[in-house]
Amino acid sequence: MAVKKLMDNIYEVGAEHHERELFDELIPLPDGTSYNAFLVQGSEKTVLLDTVDPSKEERLFKNLDRLGVEKIDYLVSHHAEQDHSGSIPSVLEEYPDAEVVTNSKCKDMLIDHLQVPEDKFKVVESEEELSLGDKTLKFIDMPWVHWPETLVTYLKEKNLLFSCDFFGSHLATSNLFVQDRRKVYLSAKRYYAEIMMPFRSSIQGHLDKIDEMEIDIIAPSHGPIYGDPDFILDAYKDWASDGTKGEVLVPYISMHGSTEKMVKHFVDYLSEKGVDVSPYYLSSTDLGQLAMSLVDASTVVIGTPTVLVGPHPEAVYTTYLANALRPKTRYASIIGSYGWGGRMPDQIKDMLGNFDGEFLEPVISKGHPSKEDLEKVEELADDIIKKHRKDDLVK
Ligand code: FEO
């Protein structure tokens, strides 16, 4: 495969990872991912921006060979996480003159994670510039895109932002630039949902800062490059905003059919009333898809039976994850059942410590749901519709 050329003297030299199935051993990757690394050749200096996951470093070196790169003056590290930094030690072996350019926090983390020698670093401050001759790099700290040390690089002469994880998408593709917007939108939302959603307020601040910059191209460290950045900037502004959509999510699991009967009644009832409702059966759910829905849903109702006096472990896992992702959900509740006892609803509530919306009265049946239980399910649905109307979430 040919090296991908962005423009004269600027290349993407990283690697696609088509066969990667999970990110962080957690979120499924239906379309793989990629680790973008960029080579920028100035009239005087050559810089490599980030490396690749160590499992793909052979491809990085092959790309550098194809370009005939004999010397790298600077190796910019935007982020110490190993999918971008993991091949720094190998690059330093191959290109011993390279100085690792990063901020002081990232430097400390690279020493901790990769044992990069202290004397290899050139530490830069936020807004500091570095001349490559005919090109100028400007470094800008953007902490808490999901780690505390992250920075980005702005190539001033080209209005080109190398944004690291920010705006990235889990999509392995040979297309250098975005071709299929819908596909990239979903892959980027999957990525945002898993790692950036918990840091929404930081993301809002960074978006404000980026709005003040003149940017023609955004080159993230995952997925294709945005030649028309408004598309992804608008998507991020929407995801990171305080607004939610009128969707009701129902992640659920059932053992003997009682919880399932109530959940189905709830879903059918909401559907008939024209509410956008999405059930997710937890033993077969793509957690990435559920996380994406959590980005803007207004209401989450967890469906679970009682097992060993508590929630079903599938519901525990999902509740834990949903709490950790800190979605902007406004309303939450539980639909569930028990055979003889237990404290399932309290345990679910206790697990939602980050939730600062309103908790609606759960509907819990003893054994098979009675007519009265199903009426309570309808009352819960009506209550949700009323809340959504009040919040102007219903068309
Ligand atoms: Fe793509 Fe946070 O690493």
Side-chain angles (χ1 to χ4, degrees), residues 259 262 302-306 334-338 344 363-366:
T259 297
M262 287 193 290
I302 296 164
T304 177
T306 302
I334 304 166
I335 289 176
S337 56
Y338 65 100
M344 177 271 283
V363 182
I364 311 294
S365 74
K366 183 174 185 190

Side-chain angles (χ1 to χ4, degrees), residues 23 79 81-84 146-147 164-165 191 195 221-222:
F23 208 71
H79 176 29
E81 194 165 16
Q82 290 86 337
D83 51 335
H84 310 294
H146 79 122
W147 276 26
C164 194
D165 279 345
Y191 194 41
I195 62 167
S221 298
H222 297 280

Side-chain angles (χ1 to χ4, degrees), residues 110-376:
L110 291 172
I111 292 172
D112 288 343
H113 288 290
L114 299 164
Q115 288 81 50
V116 176
E118 175 118 31
D119 62 2
K120 283 286 182 188
F121 287 94
K122 175 180 172 59
V123 172
V124 289
E125 302 292 327
S126 192
E127 310 285 330
E128 192 172 326
E129 297 185 359
L130 179 68
S131 174
L132 308 179
D134 60 349
K135 298 184 182 66
T136 315
L137 303 182
K138 182 174 180 178
F139 306 106
I140 305 164
D141 286 348
M142 290 223 170
W144 296 115
V145 171
H146 79 122
W147 276 26
E149 85 301 9
T150 305
L151 61 150
V152 299
T153 296
Y154 181 58
L155 175 52
K156 289 173 71 174
E157 290 78 5
K158 304 290 180 190
N159 295 342
L160 167 50
L161 183 72
F162 296 100
S163 62
C164 194
D165 279 345
F166 208 9
F167 310 117
S169 62
H170 282 313
L171 180 58
T173 170
S174 53
N175 295 325
L176 179 58
F177 285 91
V178 173
Q179 303 288 327
D180 180 342
R181 278 193 181 186
R182 182 68 195 155
K183 192 163 191 173
V184 175
Y185 176 92
L186 293 173
S187 304
K189 191 173 186 184
R190 180 176 288 262
Y191 194 41
Y192 171 88
E194 187 213 340
I195 62 167
M196 295 178 203
M197 181 157 54
F199 306 102
R200 198 166 60 85
S201 59
S202 299
I203 298 287
Q204 284 172 345
H206 297 328
L207 289 171
D208 290 345
K209 189 164 192 171
I210 283 171
D211 258 351
E212 291 164 9
M213 299 167 69
E214 204 174 324
I215 294 175
D216 294 333
I217 300 174
I218 292 181
S221 298
H222 297 280
I225 291 165
Y226 304 94
D228 176 8
D230 283 348
F231 146 62
I232 193 67
L233 288 169
D234 288 346
Y236 259 72
K237 283 173 192 167
D238 181 31
W239 301 335
S241 73
D242 295 336
T244 56
K245 300 190 170 61
E247 187 178 5
V248 179
L249 305 185
V250 194
Y252 79 101
I253 187 91
S254 189
M255 287 162 62
H256 302 297
S258 301
T259 297
E260 183 166 45
K261 182 167 183 180
M262 287 193 290
V263 164
K264 286 196 164 156
H265 191 72
F266 180 68
V267 169
D268 289 347
Y269 187 86
L270 283 172
S271 249
E272 276 168 25
K273 302 264 176 182
V275 176
D276 184 3
V277 55
S278 303
Y280 286 89
Y281 194 64
L282 290 175
S283 64
S284 55
T285 284
D286 167 356
L287 277 180
Q289 192 64 47
L290 178 58
M292 286 160 73
S293 295
L294 284 168
V295 168
D296 34 31
S298 292
T299 298
V300 178
V301 176
I302 296 164
T304 177
T306 302
V307 190
L308 302 172
V309 306
H312 190 286
E314 291 275 11
V316 170
Y317 183 85
T318 303
T319 305
Y320 175 85
L321 182 63
N323 184 61
L325 292 176
R326 295 174 178 265
K328 48 192 176 185
T329 311
R330 298 178 188 210
Y331 306 103
S333 191
I334 304 166
I335 289 176
S337 56
Y338 65 100
W340 40 264
R343 328 178 24 248
M344 177 271 283
D346 291 338
Q347 291 180 15
I348 293 263
K349 269 197 245 178
D350 288 348
M351 291 176 65
L352 292 172
N354 293 331
F355 173 62
D356 60 3
E358 184 179 347
F359 204 88
L360 308 177
E361 187 62 29
V363 182
I364 311 294
S365 74
K366 183 174 185 190
H368 195 76
S370 63
K371 189 167 164 285
E372 289 71 33
D373 292 324
L374 295 178
E375 282 167 6
K376 282 188 192 153

